[in-house]
Amino acid sequence: MRKGAISRDGVLKAMAEYDEMGRDRFLSAYGYKPATGYHLLHEDRTYDSKAIVGVAHKFDQGRVLKPDELIGGRSHAARWLAGLGFVVRSSRSPDWTRDEIILACELAMANGWKRLEFDDPRVIELSALLQTMPIHPEELRNELFRNPNGVARKTVDITSRHPDYRGKPTNGNVLDVEVMNDFLARPTEMTEVARRIRHGLTTGEFQDLLPEPEEEEDEYSAPEGRLLLRRHRSRERNKGLRRKKIASVLGRGGQLACEACGFDFEVVYGDRGAGYIECHHVVPLHEAGEGRTKLSDLALICANCHRMIHRRAPWPTPLELRGAMEQKHAADRRAAEALGRPRRAADEQMPQT
């Protein structure tokens, strides 16, 4: 059966019917269960988002959508409602990201890897800061989102996994342990990472950075978190900087060849590839400051090598990636030579049985 778009007017009519019938009767009449993930908020009232979308479909398309025709989560019903300008909220707080855990770990380390209480001024300050972090969309932020109680609880999850902790650890997650171990192994570097994240949040620098598509962000590995990675990628994509870097290389008589593998787009693709190359920001995320990017901070690199550099932390420099490729090619040549070498007579003899 056909499933079509719904309109804001259709949603308002569904909410009016919901108000008239009452929640229990409305849900029962259309075969929907109470929402457990997302709720629609409108004029100080709360509605079951999935059921409202299903019934709104009746007013716009002539039939009610059955519950199994809709996904109640962010990818379907909630997204439709948000796209129509309605406020949708999750009933559960989203999982903590690496960026958030970095700031919580910094606080736990500053407190001697001891838990903090919800009324600690440092916890209250971090709670307010996390609420400004532009990672989780509005529909995932409920009234308890990163409140002081939740922040204090996260410090308990972290500190109870510390090697010196003698009690029973709480039900934290693998990411808590990963980030804590980063702090234990590289405290100076990770403290600087936390400082740069804090600076970006307090100055509003990260608010203007466009998030990568979710599948795109998954392609990159950065212990420093998403926000510094977004800033890094934003600098790499700066068209003005890229043009200046290319002009600088050509002005010195150089070629637009990948600094890692030597690939030249014009040599391979002719006119279509002329003038094309990507830029990679070679300064590590925890060292890249808030100042202007210098041309010397950029390396010209092909798309394949760029992907390989970003694929797994720690990121190699183009020179280090070139060295890894040369080692691989040398090993391949040795293996090929060994296979092509004439076998000695002794090698041909079979053992006697």
Side-chain angles (χ1 to χ4, degrees):
M1 291 186 290
R2 182 176 180 274
K3 186 183 343 182
I6 61 173
S7 68
R8 185 176 179 85
D9 184 61
V11 172
L12 292 173
K13 289 179 180 177
M15 285 192 289
E17 186 174 330
Y18 184 108
D19 292 338
E20 182 180 347
M21 296 176 66
R23 184 191 191 201
D24 292 343
R25 186 178 163 207
F26 181 88
L27 295 177
S28 177
Y30 293 110
Y32 279 86
K33 295 180 180 179
T36 58
Y38 292 85
H39 291 95
L40 168 62
L41 307 182
H42 186 69
E43 295 182 351
D44 297 324
R45 294 181 65 87
T46 301
Y47 300 85
D48 298 81
S49 59
K50 184 176 176 181
I52 290 295
V53 167
V55 176
H57 194 269
K58 173 183 71 172
F59 295 106
D60 288 305
Q61 302 296 336
R63 73 176 185 90
V64 176
L65 289 178
K66 297 178 181 179
D68 60 3
E69 293 181 89
L70 276 174
I71 301 171
R74 180 183 167 198
S75 63
H76 205 170
R79 185 182 64 188
W80 283 8
L81 292 168
L84 293 171
F86 291 100
V87 177
V88 183
R89 288 288 184 270
S90 171
S91 59
R92 300 183 297 269
S93 288
D95 292 339
W96 283 64
T97 63
R98 181 177 290 273
D99 302 70
E100 295 170 302
I101 297 173
I102 285 172
L103 296 185
C105 267
E106 178 205 26
L107 179 55
M109 185 175 71
N111 198 49
W113 296 108
K114 301 294 190 296
R115 62 178 292 172
L116 293 99
E117 300 299 332
F118 74 94
D119 55 354
D120 188 304
R122 295 169 296 175
V123 169
I124 295 171
E125 183 271 337
L126 179 55
S127 169
L129 190 65
L130 292 175
Q131 290 171 18
T132 69
M133 189 173 278
I135 288 183
H136 302 292
E138 283 300 315
E139 65 266 23
L140 294 181
R141 298 167 179 249
N142 59 27
E143 64 277 6
L144 300 178
F145 176 75
R146 301 302 181 256
N147 67 3
N149 276 314
V151 174
R153 176 66 186 185
K154 178 54 67 174
T155 69
V156 174
D157 291 339
I158 293 168
T159 56
S160 71
R161 299 301 184 96
H162 190 275
D164 294 337
Y165 185 75
R166 292 295 174 258
K168 182 180 179 181
T170 61
N171 295 324
N173 58 41
V174 173
L175 195 54
D176 295 337
V177 178
E178 286 182 6
V179 177
M180 180 189 68
N181 286 337
D182 285 340
F183 270 88
L184 293 176
R186 306 186 306 279
T188 302
E189 175 184 320
M190 292 305 296
T191 299
E192 181 61 15
V193 168
R195 189 195 72 78
R196 294 195 186 282
I197 293 175
R198 280 178 168 274
H199 182 273
L201 291 173
T202 54
T203 61
E205 173 192 355
F206 295 136
Q207 300 295 334
D208 295 330
L209 296 179
L210 295 176
E212 302 273 356
E214 197 165 318
E215 63 275 11
E216 185 86 355
E217 284 195 323
D218 289 342
E219 289 293 313
Y220 302 105
S221 171
E224 296 87 346
R226 296 183 192 176
L227 296 178
L228 294 183
L229 176 59
R230 287 179 190 174
R231 184 177 69 186
H232 176 98
R233 296 280 291 161
S234 175
R235 290 176 175 180
E236 289 183 336
R237 291 170 174 168
N238 185 307
K239 294 181 179 179
L241 277 175
R242 178 176 168 273
R243 283 195 296 267
K244 290 178 181 178
K245 179 66 177 181
I246 288 174
S248 173
V249 171
L250 294 178
R252 298 194 306 270
Q255 290 182 297
L256 300 186
C258 176
E259 295 182 27
C261 71
F263 186 88
D264 188 314
F265 285 89
E266 184 172 11
V267 169
V268 176
Y269 297 107
D271 290 343
R272 180 176 290 273
Y276 181 79
I277 192 92
E278 293 188 7
C279 271
H280 169 59
H281 197 283
V282 297
V283 180
L285 299 187
H286 66 276
E287 294 179 11
E290 294 79 28
R292 298 176 60 183
T293 300
K294 304 186 293 291
L295 294 184
S296 58
D297 294 338
L298 302 174
L300 297 182
I301 200 164
C302 74
N304 281 349
C305 288
H306 204 177
R307 281 275 179 169
M308 291 298 100
I309 285 175
H310 283 299
R311 187 164 184 245
R312 186 179 302 120
W315 296 343
T317 64
L319 184 60
E320 289 169 341
L321 186 63
R322 175 188 286 273
M325 287 188 288
E326 290 174 348
Q327 287 182 356
K328 173 69 166 59
H329 295 161
D332 290 344
R333 285 194 299 271
R334 288 193 297 271
E337 290 169 359
L339 288 174
R341 190 180 302 125
R343 296 171 66 87
R344 295 179 299 171
D347 296 333
E348 301 291 340
Q349 294 179 358
M350 296 292 291
Q352 298 296 319
T353 59

